Amino acid sequence: MTTKRTREILELFDQQYTREYKCYLNYETPWQLLVATMLSAQCTDARVNIVTKDLFVKYNTVEKFAYADQEELEQDIRPTGFYRNKAKNIIACMRVIHEKYQDEVPSDVDELTALAGVGRKTANVIRGNIYHEPSIVVDTHVKRISKRLGLTKEEDPVKIEYELMKVLPKDHWILYNIQVITFGRSICFARSPKCEECFLKAYCLEYSERQKTKSRKRERTGKNE
């Protein structure tokens, strides 16, 4: 159930960032987005986009990824980190898509998460951006900011996903992730967030607690003087 407070937060997000749908990973086909999302684990979208610019020219079909030499692919994706595991998973994942799904990326969440290296986060990126299925992607920004705004108290990404599904209206599921990523990269940093510039500080539990702590310190200092 969406509360008045949550609706106000979403309205402020809409005003600040519009309701435009955009993906920060560059791709032209569903399978390219799948590969890019797999590479984005523990890596910035900007760095992934640099790597995939050449990667998608060299491996321009699902089949080429499916039967790639693993050591060669490792070197091609090395800048994204965890390249050995990512290369192994990409090859295994693309082989199933080529042999079982005839190069079509499935839309079903269970079929997607059955693929090597594909968790719910990656599956929801595909479902939301390719198939326009209402999905909530819980990345580091969504986890941090949802907690600060009091929309969840959970730590586990899957639990956060299900909790947000209860409190956010469906028409904001994909949009919320897009807006929160922008917000997290420009204002609500993990460390040293720009609280004084923040248009949501009135709704932030962390900011409120920080202000209370400052107030208590001032009171103690005043009493000691």
Side-chain angles (χ1 to χ4, degrees):
M1 180 181 173
T2 307
T3 65
K4 178 175 177 289
R5 179 180 180 277
T6 302
R7 283 195 297 271
E8 289 171 356
I9 290 171
L10 296 179
E11 284 171 10
L12 287 168
F13 270 133
D14 290 350
Q15 289 170 22
Q16 192 75 17
Y17 301 123
T18 77
R19 298 187 60 151
E20 179 189 354
Y21 280 60
K22 55 186 172 183
C23 181
Y24 292 98
L25 291 168
N26 296 336
Y27 70 97
E28 292 180 357
T29 66
W31 62 264
Q32 285 181 346
L33 179 58
L34 180 55
V35 171
T37 307
M38 293 170 77
L39 292 175
S40 72
Q42 306 297 313
C43 183
T44 65
D45 292 348
R47 185 176 293 275
V48 171
N49 288 335
I50 292 169
V51 170
T52 56
K53 184 179 179 182
D54 294 327
L55 189 73
F56 291 154
V57 172
K58 181 175 181 178
Y59 303 91
N60 58 3
T61 65
V62 171
E63 187 175 10
K64 285 184 179 177
F65 270 116
Y67 302 108
D69 177 81
Q70 184 173 326
E71 288 187 6
E72 187 176 349
L73 181 57
E74 286 174 9
Q75 295 312 307
D76 292 331
I77 65 172
R78 192 183 183 106
T80 68
F82 302 97
Y83 55 92
R84 290 193 180 91
N85 201 42
K86 287 179 181 180
K88 182 181 73 174
N89 283 334
I90 287 170
I91 290 170
C93 176
M94 292 295 113
R95 195 164 292 180
V96 172
I97 287 175
H98 179 62
E99 295 176 356
K100 183 177 179 180
Y101 297 107
Q102 292 73 53
D103 295 353
E104 296 292 327
V105 178
S107 61
D108 181 78
V109 68
D110 292 327
E111 289 183 303
L112 282 166
T113 53
L115 297 168
V118 179
R120 288 193 67 89
K121 175 190 165 186
T122 300
N124 284 332
V125 168
I126 297 299
R127 283 165 53 77
N129 288 280
I130 301 300
Y131 297 108
H132 308 295
E133 292 281 348
S135 308
I136 293 175
V137 179
V138 180
D139 62 7
T140 181
H141 297 293
V142 169
K143 179 179 178 178
R144 177 179 75 255
I145 291 163
S146 297
K147 288 183 71 177
R148 284 176 173 174
L149 292 173
L151 298 179
T152 183
K153 293 181 180 177
E154 299 291 347
E155 290 290 336
D156 179 71
V158 175
K159 289 181 179 178
I160 292 171
E161 179 190 339
Y162 282 112
E163 190 157 10
L164 291 177
M165 286 167 71
K166 292 177 184 176
V167 301
L168 299 177
K170 263 193 177 183
D171 66 349
H172 266 80
W173 284 8
I174 303 169
L175 199 57
Y176 178 76
N177 178 251
I178 294 167
Q179 293 170 336
V180 165
I181 287 175
T182 307
F183 180 58
R185 288 176 175 172
S186 58
I187 296 174
C188 197
F189 308 127
R191 295 180 182 178
S192 304
K194 298 179 180 179
C195 296
E196 296 311 318
E197 299 176 25
C198 181
F199 58 93
L200 288 173
K201 63 184 177 185
Y203 300 89
C204 179
L205 304 186
E206 195 171 299
Y207 178 76
S208 175
E209 193 56 43
R210 201 177 297 137
Q211 292 304 104
K212 287 177 184 176
T213 301
K214 284 182 181 178
S215 179
R216 285 194 291 268
K217 283 182 179 178
R218 281 196 299 267
E219 286 177 8
R220 286 199 299 270
T221 304
K223 286 176 183 177
N224 291 334
E225 287 177 352

